[in-house]
Amino acid sequence: MQLQKLPNGAVRFTQLNAWDVHTFRSLPRLADYGADPMSEQRLLPRLADAAEMTPEMAMDWVEYVVPELRESFASNLATVLADLAGLAADQADQADQADQEDQADQEDQADAAEEARFALTIPAEHVESWFRAMNQARLVLSMRYGIDSEHLPDLPKLMESGHLEYWFQYELFVRLQGWLVDVVLDAG
Amino acid sequence: MFPLPLATLRSAANLARGLRRVWAVMPGTEERPAVEQESGLDQPWHVVVSNDPVNLMSYVTLVIRRIFGYSQEKAAEMMLQVHQKGQCIVWTGAREQAELYVKQLQEHQLLSSMKKAG
């Protein structure tokens, strides 16, 4: 995978392999906190300790602010999904190109398809949503599977449960987010 | 999504509460016992960012700088305090503003809350 910031502020991912694409497409599922109370609690923590809040404060927070936060999180994921539709179109273009370039040898053609690379452009105004969607996915993975950035996870347990891939996906998001902060979001 | 900002809704709610209080002491009206708790609007509140093992340090610094307008140095110092001591008071002031800040921090997925100062 190669990352590039375009002059107009957009971000272009190129040389995406099948696993990269799979991981991007998994983002909304990985970031889904709906069925997990611990993840929901992390993403929507209380405004303050119950002892310090009046009932009115607590009620206003739940009634007016929490729905807006949910909406914001959902909007980030919707933006990612919409951008991923562009990636699907690139995939079709590249498959056509591979067909034209490599008609002679069926075996080589199969290899080319297997190693096909994809590209995705994220408009400048969507970069923040992508960052937050990846962040949300990491927070949920942390709450669900104990994967975080300060400890090595219980790898045998992740392997046994078939969740080892989540660790790789978590680490990919860490790298991408680090790049996005340094090169795009905090670049002025 | 609710069409009005929280501050507007709260202002309307405060106005309604004020009217109820005026009504309660007007001649000829029945005085009702005060049932509302002290709202805490007058006392300062701290906005607190707590550590979590997921958010990137560079991102935490960026968000603190972005929301509160602090310098890079001050935001980085606060981030380090979050990381090393577990939490940091990033702002202190009026309750409604504190609530707005906590909402913005949570929108950026930082673990944040508020607590009474003092």
Side-chain angles (χ1 to χ4, degrees):
Chain A
M1 181 191 307
Q2 293 184 350
L3 312 175
Q4 184 186 9
K5 182 185 176 185
L6 303 180
N8 64 1
V11 167
R12 184 150 176 83
F13 296 126
T14 53
Q15 296 291 307
L16 296 169
N17 63 27
W19 185 78
D20 298 330
V21 171
H22 157 70
T23 295
F24 282 165
R25 287 188 169 143
S26 301
L27 249 176
R29 178 175 56 80
L30 297 174
D32 180 14
Y33 59 92
D36 181 34
M38 294 285 284
S39 300
E40 184 173 80
Q41 201 176 340
R42 169 59 189 84
L43 281 159
L44 300 164
R46 277 194 308 209
L47 173 63
D49 281 346
E52 293 203 317
M53 282 192 292
T54 64
E56 175 211 336
M57 277 175 75
M59 196 174 66
D60 282 358
W61 187 259
V62 170
E63 193 171 347
Y64 300 121
V65 178
V66 170
E68 287 188 14
L69 290 171
R70 286 186 191 279
E71 175 78 21
S72 173
F73 298 153
S75 169
N76 294 332
L77 298 178
T79 298
V80 167
L81 271 177
D83 288 342
L84 285 171
L87 185 141
D90 285 347
Q91 186 178 356
D93 290 343
Q94 296 226 350
D96 289 342
Q97 194 177 347
D99 285 343
Q100 289 168 5
E101 287 175 358
D102 202 6
Q103 289 175 352
D105 189 325
Q106 293 273 344
E107 197 171 315
D108 286 351
Q109 192 174 16
D111 289 345
E114 193 174 313
E115 295 176 8
R117 295 292 189 263
F118 306 96
L120 176 66
T121 300
I122 300 173
E125 62 271 23
H126 292 182
V127 172
E128 185 94 25
S129 289
W130 271 80
F131 183 96
R132 293 189 196 179
M134 287 191 271
N135 211 53
Q136 184 177 324
R138 289 200 303 119
L139 286 165
V140 171
L141 290 173
S142 167
M143 299 310 296
R144 283 191 168 155
Y145 305 108
I147 301 169
D148 63 47
S149 300
E150 291 183 359
H151 313 92
L152 191 64
D154 187 342
L155 295 179
K157 187 179 170 186
L158 285 177
M159 288 176 74
E160 282 170 21
S161 59
H163 295 144
L164 185 62
E165 184 183 35
Y166 293 150
W167 183 44
F168 298 129
Q169 291 174 320
Y170 179 100
E171 290 298 327
L172 175 64
F173 296 148
V174 169
R175 302 297 179 275
L176 292 176
Q177 284 187 278
W179 184 83
L180 287 174
V181 170
D182 293 343
V183 178
V184 184
L185 299 177
D186 200 16
Chain B
M1 194 169 95
F2 206 91
L4 293 174
L6 183 61
T8 306
L9 293 164
R10 180 156 294 126
S11 297
N14 287 338
L15 177 63
R17 272 191 288 280
L19 288 174
R20 282 204 300 272
R21 288 190 183 112
V22 170
W23 175 259
V25 296
M26 278 177 64
T29 61
E30 180 187 351
E31 188 160 351
R32 300 174 195 172
V35 293
E36 292 173 19
Q37 289 180 251
E38 173 58 48
S39 67
L41 277 173
D42 296 333
Q43 75 176 106
W45 288 72
H46 294 313
V47 173
V48 181
V49 174
S50 298
N51 190 39
D52 70 63
V54 172
N55 272 305
L56 302 176
M57 294 163 82
S58 55
Y59 180 62
V60 173
T61 305
L62 172 65
V63 171
I64 291 175
R65 226 178 64 208
R66 204 186 251 183
I67 291 178
F68 299 99
Y70 298 149
S71 66
Q72 169 69 20
E73 292 71 25
K74 183 171 182 177
E77 195 179 312
M78 288 177 156
M79 176 279 295
L80 280 175
Q81 193 177 328
V82 171
H83 185 64
Q84 292 166 352
K85 298 187 177 176
Q87 59 176 219
C88 177
I89 295 168
V90 293
W91 188 84
T92 301
R95 193 189 95 190
E96 289 192 354
Q97 185 62 51
E99 286 180 1
L100 182 62
Y101 281 144
V102 172
K103 183 200 170 194
Q104 289 176 315
L105 289 164
Q106 291 192 5
E107 203 164 14
H108 286 81
Q109 301 165 355
L110 266 56
L111 190 53
S112 54
S113 61
M114 53 192 264
K115 66 179 181 183
K116 285 178 183 170

